[in-house]
Amino acid sequence: MDVPWESLKSDTLRALIEEFVSREGTDYGGREITFEAKVEQVLRALRDGSAKVVFDAETESCDIREVRLK
């Protein structure tokens, strides 16, 4: 089930984004990106609609997913 990110309290949203970013693992790209910059990237993706918050009733957990355009 999709959850409007705007409906989450700011500290809850921040915790969800930080948990999501911390799962990404190590960057092997050409330049290092700070944790804070990654958090901001995810927040921008939520704002522009390229990512969404989803709730899984079976596991009773939330996650952030990329939106796939059709």
Side-chain angles (χ1 to χ4, degrees), residues 12-43:
T12 301
L13 178 61
R14 174 77 186 201
L16 178 63
I17 293 172
E18 287 180 354
E19 193 276 330
F20 175 78
V21 168
S22 68
R23 279 191 267 141
E24 285 189 332
T26 305
D27 277 337
Y28 294 105
R31 66 183 177 99
E32 191 68 26
I33 300 173
T34 67
F35 184 80
E36 189 59 35
K38 290 179 185 182
V39 168
E40 288 300 318
Q41 286 176 347
V42 174
L43 186 54

mmCIF file of all heavy atoms in Angstrom, residues 12-43:
data_model
loop_
_atom_site.group_PDB
_atom_site.id
_atom_site.type_symbol
_atom_site.label_atom_id
_atom_site.label_comp_id
_atom_site.label_asym_id
_atom_site.label_seq_id
_atom_site.Cartn_x
_atom_site.Cartn_y
_atom_site.Cartn_z
ATOM 1 N N THR A 12 9.834 10.961 11.610
ATOM 2 C CA THR A 12 9.587 9.600 11.130
ATOM 3 C C THR A 12 10.087 9.453 9.697
ATOM 4 O O THR A 12 10.743 8.455 9.361
ATOM 5 C CB THR A 12 8.084 9.273 11.205
ATOM 6 O OG1 THR A 12 7.649 9.408 12.559
ATOM 7 C CG2 THR A 12 7.791 7.871 10.705
ATOM 8 N N LEU A 13 9.790 10.442 8.863
ATOM 9 C CA LEU A 13 10.251 10.417 7.477
ATOM 10 C C LEU A 13 11.776 10.407 7.432
ATOM 11 O O LEU A 13 12.378 9.622 6.691
ATOM 12 C CB LEU A 13 9.710 11.610 6.708
ATOM 13 C CG LEU A 13 10.149 11.732 5.253
ATOM 14 C CD1 LEU A 13 9.693 10.526 4.433
ATOM 15 C CD2 LEU A 13 9.623 13.025 4.649
ATOM 16 N N ARG A 14 12.395 11.259 8.233
ATOM 17 C CA ARG A 14 13.862 11.326 8.275
ATOM 18 C C ARG A 14 14.450 9.973 8.689
ATOM 19 O O ARG A 14 15.406 9.493 8.071
ATOM 20 C CB ARG A 14 14.292 12.431 9.249
ATOM 21 C CG ARG A 14 15.761 12.527 9.508
ATOM 22 C CD ARG A 14 16.469 13.172 8.377
ATOM 23 N NE ARG A 14 17.912 13.127 8.604
ATOM 24 C CZ ARG A 14 18.766 13.914 8.034
ATOM 25 N NH1 ARG A 14 18.358 14.822 7.180
ATOM 26 N NH2 ARG A 14 20.041 13.801 8.268
ATOM 27 N N ALA A 15 13.882 9.339 9.705
ATOM 28 C CA ALA A 15 14.372 8.030 10.155
ATOM 29 C C ALA A 15 14.214 6.978 9.060
ATOM 30 O O ALA A 15 15.116 6.150 8.848
ATOM 31 C CB ALA A 15 13.640 7.602 11.419
ATOM 32 N N LEU A 16 13.089 6.998 8.359
ATOM 33 C CA LEU A 16 12.862 6.048 7.266
ATOM 34 C C LEU A 16 13.880 6.254 6.148
ATOM 35 O O LEU A 16 14.463 5.291 5.639
ATOM 36 C CB LEU A 16 11.436 6.206 6.729
ATOM 37 C CG LEU A 16 11.052 5.308 5.554
ATOM 38 C CD1 LEU A 16 11.102 3.844 5.956
ATOM 39 C CD2 LEU A 16 9.661 5.685 5.057
ATOM 40 N N ILE A 17 14.119 7.507 5.780
ATOM 41 C CA ILE A 17 15.093 7.802 4.726
ATOM 42 C C ILE A 17 16.496 7.395 5.166
ATOM 43 O O ILE A 17 17.242 6.780 4.390
ATOM 44 C CB ILE A 17 15.048 9.294 4.333
ATOM 45 C CG1 ILE A 17 13.721 9.616 3.649
ATOM 46 C CG2 ILE A 17 16.213 9.644 3.412
ATOM 47 C CD1 ILE A 17 13.492 11.106 3.399
ATOM 48 N N GLU A 18 16.877 7.707 6.393
ATOM 49 C CA GLU A 18 18.212 7.348 6.880
ATOM 50 C C GLU A 18 18.404 5.839 6.899
ATOM 51 O O GLU A 18 19.466 5.332 6.525
ATOM 52 C CB GLU A 18 18.447 7.933 8.268
ATOM 53 C CG GLU A 18 18.669 9.425 8.247
ATOM 54 C CD GLU A 18 18.902 10.007 9.623
ATOM 55 O OE1 GLU A 18 18.787 9.283 10.646
ATOM 56 O OE2 GLU A 18 19.200 11.223 9.690
ATOM 57 N N GLU A 19 17.371 5.104 7.309
ATOM 58 C CA GLU A 19 17.465 3.643 7.314
ATOM 59 C C GLU A 19 17.612 3.124 5.886
ATOM 60 O O GLU A 19 18.416 2.245 5.612
ATOM 61 C CB GLU A 19 16.220 3.060 7.993
ATOM 62 C CG GLU A 19 16.334 1.594 8.339
ATOM 63 C CD GLU A 19 15.983 0.673 7.181
ATOM 64 O OE1 GLU A 19 15.152 1.060 6.342
ATOM 65 O OE2 GLU A 19 16.549 -0.426 7.113
ATOM 66 N N PHE A 20 16.873 3.694 4.959
ATOM 67 C CA PHE A 20 16.959 3.308 3.551
ATOM 68 C C PHE A 20 18.359 3.576 3.003
ATOM 69 O O PHE A 20 18.964 2.705 2.366
ATOM 70 C CB PHE A 20 15.913 4.081 2.747
ATOM 71 C CG PHE A 20 15.987 3.860 1.275
ATOM 72 C CD1 PHE A 20 15.481 2.707 0.701
ATOM 73 C CD2 PHE A 20 16.560 4.811 0.440
ATOM 74 C CE1 PHE A 20 15.554 2.499 -0.672
ATOM 75 C CE2 PHE A 20 16.632 4.608 -0.927
ATOM 76 C CZ PHE A 20 16.128 3.456 -1.481
ATOM 77 N N VAL A 21 18.881 4.758 3.255
ATOM 78 C CA VAL A 21 20.209 5.132 2.751
ATOM 79 C C VAL A 21 21.291 4.244 3.359
ATOM 80 O O VAL A 21 22.222 3.826 2.665
ATOM 81 C CB VAL A 21 20.496 6.628 3.023
ATOM 82 C CG1 VAL A 21 21.948 6.971 2.782
ATOM 83 C CG2 VAL A 21 19.590 7.495 2.158
ATOM 84 N N SER A 22 21.162 3.912 4.630
ATOM 85 C CA SER A 22 22.192 3.099 5.289
ATOM 86 C C SER A 22 22.228 1.671 4.748
ATOM 87 O O SER A 22 23.246 0.987 4.860
ATOM 88 C CB SER A 22 21.979 3.085 6.799
ATOM 89 O OG SER A 22 20.809 2.379 7.136
ATOM 90 N N ARG A 23 21.149 1.214 4.119
ATOM 91 C CA ARG A 23 21.118 -0.132 3.519
ATOM 92 C C ARG A 23 21.840 -0.204 2.181
ATOM 93 O O ARG A 23 22.081 -1.284 1.671
ATOM 94 C CB ARG A 23 19.673 -0.564 3.265
ATOM 95 C CG ARG A 23 18.972 -1.087 4.449
ATOM 96 C CD ARG A 23 17.668 -1.718 4.039
ATOM 97 N NE ARG A 23 16.619 -0.706 4.137
ATOM 98 C CZ ARG A 23 15.628 -0.583 3.277
ATOM 99 N NH1 ARG A 23 15.519 -1.369 2.250
ATOM 100 N NH2 ARG A 23 14.711 0.349 3.453
ATOM 101 N N GLU A 24 22.129 0.953 1.576
ATOM 102 C CA GLU A 24 22.689 0.965 0.227
ATOM 103 C C GLU A 24 24.053 0.307 0.129
ATOM 104 O O GLU A 24 24.438 -0.146 -0.925
ATOM 105 C CB GLU A 24 22.794 2.398 -0.292
ATOM 106 C CG GLU A 24 21.475 2.978 -0.695
ATOM 107 C CD GLU A 24 21.658 4.294 -1.406
ATOM 108 O OE1 GLU A 24 22.647 5.000 -1.142
ATOM 109 O OE2 GLU A 24 20.806 4.599 -2.234
ATOM 110 N N GLY A 25 24.831 0.314 1.190
ATOM 111 C CA GLY A 25 26.165 -0.260 1.127
ATOM 112 C C GLY A 25 27.191 0.760 0.697
ATOM 113 O O GLY A 25 26.970 1.960 0.755
ATOM 114 N N THR A 26 28.315 0.277 0.235
ATOM 115 C CA THR A 26 29.441 1.134 -0.119
ATOM 116 C C THR A 26 29.324 1.641 -1.542
ATOM 117 O O THR A 26 28.941 0.913 -2.441
ATOM 118 C CB THR A 26 30.758 0.341 0.017
ATOM 119 O OG1 THR A 26 30.817 -0.179 1.342
ATOM 120 C CG2 THR A 26 31.957 1.196 -0.238
ATOM 121 N N ASP A 27 29.681 2.908 -1.727
ATOM 122 C CA ASP A 27 29.735 3.482 -3.073
ATOM 123 C C ASP A 27 31.047 3.092 -3.730
ATOM 124 O O ASP A 27 32.091 3.148 -3.104
ATOM 125 C CB ASP A 27 29.687 5.014 -3.013
ATOM 126 C CG ASP A 27 28.276 5.536 -2.885
ATOM 127 O OD1 ASP A 27 27.334 4.827 -3.271
ATOM 128 O OD2 ASP A 27 28.140 6.662 -2.406
ATOM 129 N N TYR A 28 30.977 2.725 -4.974
ATOM 130 C CA TYR A 28 32.191 2.412 -5.724
ATOM 131 C C TYR A 28 32.332 3.342 -6.925
ATOM 132 O O TYR A 28 33.064 3.071 -7.848
ATOM 133 C CB TYR A 28 32.163 0.948 -6.183
ATOM 134 C CG TYR A 28 32.230 -0.013 -5.030
ATOM 135 C CD1 TYR A 28 31.099 -0.690 -4.618
ATOM 136 C CD2 TYR A 28 33.418 -0.214 -4.332
ATOM 137 C CE1 TYR A 28 31.142 -1.562 -3.546
ATOM 138 C CE2 TYR A 28 33.463 -1.089 -3.258
ATOM 139 C CZ TYR A 28 32.325 -1.755 -2.874
ATOM 140 O OH TYR A 28 32.375 -2.609 -1.812
ATOM 141 N N GLY A 29 31.605 4.453 -6.888
ATOM 142 C CA GLY A 29 31.617 5.413 -7.987
ATOM 143 C C GLY A 29 32.874 6.266 -7.970
ATOM 144 O O GLY A 29 33.766 6.111 -7.145
ATOM 145 N N GLY A 30 32.912 7.211 -8.897
ATOM 146 C CA GLY A 30 34.073 8.070 -9.067
ATOM 147 C C GLY A 30 34.256 9.097 -7.973
ATOM 148 O O GLY A 30 35.347 9.587 -7.740
ATOM 149 N N ARG A 31 33.175 9.436 -7.288
ATOM 150 C CA ARG A 31 33.294 10.399 -6.195
ATOM 151 C C ARG A 31 32.429 9.960 -5.024
ATOM 152 O O ARG A 31 31.380 9.350 -5.207
ATOM 153 C CB ARG A 31 32.907 11.805 -6.651
ATOM 154 C CG ARG A 31 31.473 11.984 -7.031
ATOM 155 C CD ARG A 31 31.203 13.410 -7.550
ATOM 156 N NE ARG A 31 29.842 13.531 -7.968
ATOM 157 C CZ ARG A 31 28.875 14.072 -7.238
ATOM 158 N NH1 ARG A 31 29.144 14.551 -6.053
ATOM 159 N NH2 ARG A 31 27.647 14.140 -7.695
ATOM 160 N N GLU A 32 32.895 10.281 -3.852
ATOM 161 C CA GLU A 32 32.183 9.929 -2.626
ATOM 162 C C GLU A 32 31.027 10.907 -2.402
ATOM 163 O O GLU A 32 31.165 12.103 -2.628
ATOM 164 C CB GLU A 32 33.145 9.996 -1.442
ATOM 165 C CG GLU A 32 32.614 9.421 -0.166
ATOM 166 C CD GLU A 32 32.419 7.918 -0.191
ATOM 167 O OE1 GLU A 32 33.117 7.240 -0.970
ATOM 168 O OE2 GLU A 32 31.575 7.429 0.560
ATOM 169 N N ILE A 33 29.894 10.406 -1.984
ATOM 170 C CA ILE A 33 28.741 11.233 -1.671
ATOM 171 C C ILE A 33 28.471 11.089 -0.182
ATOM 172 O O ILE A 33 28.415 9.973 0.339
ATOM 173 C CB ILE A 33 27.506 10.798 -2.486
ATOM 174 C CG1 ILE A 33 27.778 10.919 -3.979
ATOM 175 C CG2 ILE A 33 26.289 11.630 -2.099
ATOM 176 C CD1 ILE A 33 26.674 10.366 -4.855
ATOM 177 N N THR A 34 28.298 12.204 0.499
ATOM 178 C CA THR A 34 28.061 12.157 1.937
ATOM 179 C C THR A 34 26.702 11.536 2.245
ATOM 180 O O THR A 34 25.793 11.522 1.406
ATOM 181 C CB THR A 34 28.112 13.564 2.561
ATOM 182 O OG1 THR A 34 26.996 14.319 2.071
ATOM 183 C CG2 THR A 34 29.423 14.264 2.262
ATOM 184 N N PHE A 35 26.586 11.047 3.462
ATOM 185 C CA PHE A 35 25.336 10.466 3.926
ATOM 186 C C PHE A 35 24.220 11.501 3.831
ATOM 187 O O PHE A 35 23.119 11.209 3.354
ATOM 188 C CB PHE A 35 25.510 9.980 5.369
ATOM 189 C CG PHE A 35 24.319 9.268 5.920
ATOM 190 C CD1 PHE A 35 24.078 7.937 5.620
ATOM 191 C CD2 PHE A 35 23.427 9.923 6.750
ATOM 192 C CE1 PHE A 35 22.975 7.266 6.129
ATOM 193 C CE2 PHE A 35 22.316 9.272 7.267
ATOM 194 C CZ PHE A 35 22.095 7.944 6.958
ATOM 195 N N GLU A 36 24.501 12.725 4.264
ATOM 196 C CA GLU A 36 23.496 13.790 4.233
ATOM 197 C C GLU A 36 23.056 14.091 2.800
ATOM 198 O O GLU A 36 21.867 14.319 2.539
ATOM 199 C CB GLU A 36 24.031 15.056 4.898
ATOM 200 C CG GLU A 36 22.993 16.124 5.092
ATOM 201 C CD GLU A 36 21.804 15.695 5.944
ATOM 202 O OE1 GLU A 36 21.982 14.921 6.897
ATOM 203 O OE2 GLU A 36 20.687 16.144 5.638
ATOM 204 N N ALA A 37 23.989 14.073 1.856
ATOM 205 C CA ALA A 37 23.642 14.310 0.455
ATOM 206 C C ALA A 37 22.742 13.191 -0.073
ATOM 207 O O ALA A 37 21.802 13.451 -0.839
ATOM 208 C CB ALA A 37 24.903 14.428 -0.397
ATOM 209 N N LYS A 38 22.996 11.959 0.346
ATOM 210 C CA LYS A 38 22.147 10.840 -0.068
ATOM 211 C C LYS A 38 20.738 10.996 0.499
ATOM 212 O O LYS A 38 19.751 10.736 -0.190
ATOM 213 C CB LYS A 38 22.750 9.517 0.385
ATOM 214 C CG LYS A 38 24.003 9.138 -0.359
ATOM 215 C CD LYS A 38 24.549 7.834 0.171
ATOM 216 C CE LYS A 38 25.870 7.489 -0.464
ATOM 217 N NZ LYS A 38 26.380 6.208 0.014
ATOM 218 N N VAL A 39 20.651 11.422 1.763
ATOM 219 C CA VAL A 39 19.341 11.660 2.378
ATOM 220 C C VAL A 39 18.584 12.712 1.580
ATOM 221 O O VAL A 39 17.402 12.549 1.274
ATOM 222 C CB VAL A 39 19.507 12.079 3.861
ATOM 223 C CG1 VAL A 39 18.190 12.601 4.430
ATOM 224 C CG2 VAL A 39 20.025 10.912 4.701
ATOM 225 N N GLU A 40 19.255 13.787 1.212
ATOM 226 C CA GLU A 40 18.622 14.852 0.423
ATOM 227 C C GLU A 40 18.188 14.349 -0.949
ATOM 228 O O GLU A 40 17.132 14.737 -1.452
ATOM 229 C CB GLU A 40 19.562 16.050 0.285
ATOM 230 C CG GLU A 40 19.734 16.828 1.564
ATOM 231 C CD GLU A 40 18.429 17.387 2.099
ATOM 232 O OE1 GLU A 40 17.611 17.901 1.306
ATOM 233 O OE2 GLU A 40 18.216 17.300 3.321
ATOM 234 N N GLN A 41 18.984 13.469 -1.572
ATOM 235 C CA GLN A 41 18.618 12.902 -2.869
ATOM 236 C C GLN A 41 17.318 12.094 -2.767
ATOM 237 O O GLN A 41 16.448 12.182 -3.631
ATOM 238 C CB GLN A 41 19.732 12.002 -3.407
ATOM 239 C CG GLN A 41 20.932 12.745 -3.916
ATOM 240 C CD GLN A 41 22.049 11.795 -4.336
ATOM 241 O OE1 GLN A 41 22.033 10.597 -4.044
ATOM 242 N NE2 GLN A 41 23.035 12.341 -5.024
ATOM 243 N N VAL A 42 17.204 11.300 -1.710
ATOM 244 C CA VAL A 42 15.997 10.494 -1.527
ATOM 245 C C VAL A 42 14.794 11.400 -1.265
ATOM 246 O O VAL A 42 13.713 11.186 -1.828
ATOM 247 C CB VAL A 42 16.181 9.466 -0.392
ATOM 248 C CG1 VAL A 42 14.876 8.735 -0.103
ATOM 249 C CG2 VAL A 42 17.278 8.463 -0.749
ATOM 250 N N LEU A 43 14.971 12.428 -0.446
ATOM 251 C CA LEU A 43 13.878 13.361 -0.185
ATOM 252 C C LEU A 43 13.437 14.057 -1.472
ATOM 253 O O LEU A 43 12.240 14.192 -1.741
ATOM 254 C CB LEU A 43 14.290 14.385 0.869
ATOM 255 C CG LEU A 43 13.199 15.340 1.341
ATOM 256 C CD1 LEU A 43 11.961 14.590 1.820
ATOM 257 C CD2 LEU A 43 13.735 16.248 2.424
#
